[in-house]
Structures are given as C-alpha cells and as structure tokens.
Amino acid sequence: MGVIKITNIQVYAYHGCLVEEGKIGSDYRVDVEVKANLQPSAISDSLKETVDYVHVNKIVKEEMAIRSKLLETVAKRILDRIFKEIDIAEQATVEVSKINPPIGGNVERVTIQMTLSK
C-alpha cells in the first residue's frame, strides 16, 4: 500500500449558506490523500498503474466549481469521483478548508475532513 498526497490545492469558489457567499465567493484550500497499491507502478514506471495526481487535481477543481451550501457536500462529490474514476484507489481522505470564513471572528480557516474506503 502507498499514499499519494496532493496538498494545498488553492481554489476560489462560491460555497456557503449565506447569499453573500454565493455572490462574493472566497478562497479555499483542498488537500487529498489517496491510498492504493503503488507496487505495480513502481515496477512498471507506468502512469496508467498509479494515482495520477493531475487527474485528482482536475476532479477537485471541477467539483469545487459547483456551488454547494456545505463543504461536506463538496468533499463527498470529490470522494465519489475519485472512486469512480481511479480504479486502484482503496481509501481516500479529502479536507476542504474555507479561508477566512465569515463567522463573526478572526478565524484563519474552517476545515471539514472526510474519508471513504472501498
């Protein structure tokens, strides 16, 4: 088993329950970790046999572009697509962070983390 991590994918998106969040948007950070058997790709040196992090980045950007009220919903969509499109994925964890959230205080970010296994 091995792990592919894509850290600090920066996206501007329009998630949130407040109407203003849908109009103004804000900065987000997404971190993804995918566990899979990386031994075949280590031997073959073939991109087809590993977790293509370019593909994972594309999934994140496409799903972040779809407005949702909850970060949990976005994380679930990302996880669902990882398992649908990356056959060797055994387990994946996604963290979605809203930078400077409008919660009435000086908060750097709020983060939700979800993990899904086959």
Side-chain angles (χ1 to χ4, degrees):
M1 189 69 72
V3 179
I4 301 284
K5 294 181 181 180
I6 303 100
T7 305
N8 199 17
I9 302 169
Q10 298 177 19
V11 181
Y12 196 85
Y14 299 87
H15 307 300
C17 294
L18 302 175
V19 174
E20 296 81 22
E21 292 174 299
K23 294 177 181 176
I24 299 168
S26 60
D27 292 308
Y28 292 83
R29 170 188 170 151
V30 181
D31 300 300
V32 180
E33 180 178 291
V34 181
K35 293 183 180 178
N37 181 0
L38 301 180
Q39 291 302 314
S41 62
I43 295 166
S44 70
D45 198 30
S46 173
L47 183 60
K48 294 185 307 186
E49 295 190 68
T50 193
V51 177
D52 181 353
Y53 47 82
V54 173
H55 187 177
V56 174
N57 186 58
K58 179 179 181 258
I59 289 170
V60 168
K61 290 191 174 192
E62 288 175 356
E63 294 304 324
M64 288 295 291
I66 301 168
R67 176 163 161 64
S68 295
K69 291 179 183 174
L70 300 178
L71 300 181
E72 293 89 328
T73 304
V74 181
K76 181 173 181 346
R77 286 199 315 259
I78 293 168
L79 287 168
D80 288 346
R81 280 198 53 197
I82 287 171
F83 283 102
K84 180 180 177 187
E85 298 176 22
I86 302 172
D87 292 335
I88 69 166
E90 294 292 330
Q91 182 179 20
T93 300
V94 174
E95 290 185 3
V96 181
S97 301
K98 181 182 282 194
I99 310 301
N100 298 317
I103 60 174
N106 187 12
V107 177
E108 179 181 331
R109 66 181 174 216
V110 294
T111 302
I112 66 97
Q113 178 184 38
M114 292 181 73
T115 300
L116 187 63
S117 299
K118 264 189 183 173

